[in-house]
């Protein structure tokens, strides 16, 4: 493991990582590292890291089409249009390493809707004892034509929220369908 940690990857101030956009997140916190960008690629491309991980270099591997933007284009205008007419719920697991919630929170906020009900926790009934527990946080936006747009996080859930937190996912959906979200 010494070979893997001996090298560090530095990202310049021009980086578009969440650490560059949110410098308050840095400074001695648990898992204090720059998220996103090309930090992981730079780290993995180091010979000492490849050797420590026992992976071959210079061979073609899995190819991943970065999307859906490269496939579908920018879908934010579509969401903005749909939210004018319909109630929409967007949610993210707060431990999702594939699509971190901070990115989803950014694009939902940047749609430019007025905040109807600011960030607050949402609750779900506890599974093993009486009472409720925090299941995540949510913010509600109001659209000019009377639609409603909500972004919610699901505490402790990864990319596939219903798989990781089925009870929270069900409560989230029930709250949305009941008009509480």
């Amino acid at each position: 493991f010494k070979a893997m940690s001996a090298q560090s990857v530095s990202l310049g101030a021009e980086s578009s990582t969440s650490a560059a956009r949110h410098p308050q997140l840095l400074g001695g916190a648990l898992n204090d590292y720059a998220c996103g960008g090309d930090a992981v690629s730079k780290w993995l491309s180091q010979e000492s890291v490849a050797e420590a991980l026992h992976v071959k270099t210079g061979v073609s591997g899995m190819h991943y089409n970065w999307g859906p933007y490269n496939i579908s284009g920018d879908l934010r205008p579509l969401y903005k249009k749909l939210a004018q007419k319909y109630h929409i719920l967007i949610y993210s697991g707060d431990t999702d390493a594939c699509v971190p919630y901070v990115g989803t929170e950014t694009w939902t906020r940047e749609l430019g809707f007025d905040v109807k009900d600011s960030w607050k926790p949402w609750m779900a009934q506890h599974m093993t004892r009486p009472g409720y527990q925090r299941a995540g946080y949510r913010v509600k936006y109001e659209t000019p034509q009377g639609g409603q747009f909500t972004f919610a996080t699901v505490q402790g859930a990864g990319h596939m929220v219903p798989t990781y937190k089925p009870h929270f996912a069900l409560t989230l959906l029930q709250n949305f369908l009941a008009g509480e979200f």
Side-chain angles (χ1 to χ4, degrees), residues 111-143:
L111 289 177
F113 298 132
D114 291 334
V115 175
K116 179 179 180 179
D117 196 9
S118 192
W119 280 102
K120 63 174 60 169
W122 64 275
M123 309 299 278
Q125 194 164 8
H126 203 285
M127 297 278 298
T128 59
R129 60 178 167 78
Y132 286 85
Q133 67 186 58
R134 185 182 69 236
Y137 292 89
R138 61 114 182 106
V139 60
K140 292 166 66 171
Y141 298 96
E142 190 163 17
T143 67

Side-chain angles (χ1 to χ4, degrees), residues 91-96 101 119-124 126-127 129 132-138 151-172 181:
Y91 61 90
S92 290
D94 68 2
T95 62
D96 185 346
Y101 78 92
W119 280 102
K120 63 174 60 169
W122 64 275
M123 309 299 278
H126 203 285
M127 297 278 298
R129 60 178 167 78
Y132 286 85
Q133 67 186 58
R134 185 182 69 236
Y137 292 89
R138 61 114 182 106
F151 172 64
T153 64
V154 180
Q155 183 174 318
H159 190 64
M160 298 185 300
V161 170
T163 300
Y164 291 100
K165 295 289 184 171
H167 178 65
F168 287 177
L170 178 60
T171 303
L172 180 73
F181 269 34

Side-chain angles (χ1 to χ4, degrees), residues 64-78:
Y64 179 72
N65 284 334
W66 194 256
Y69 182 81
N70 287 352
I71 298 165
S72 305
D74 187 353
L75 296 176
R76 290 175 294 180
L78 175 63

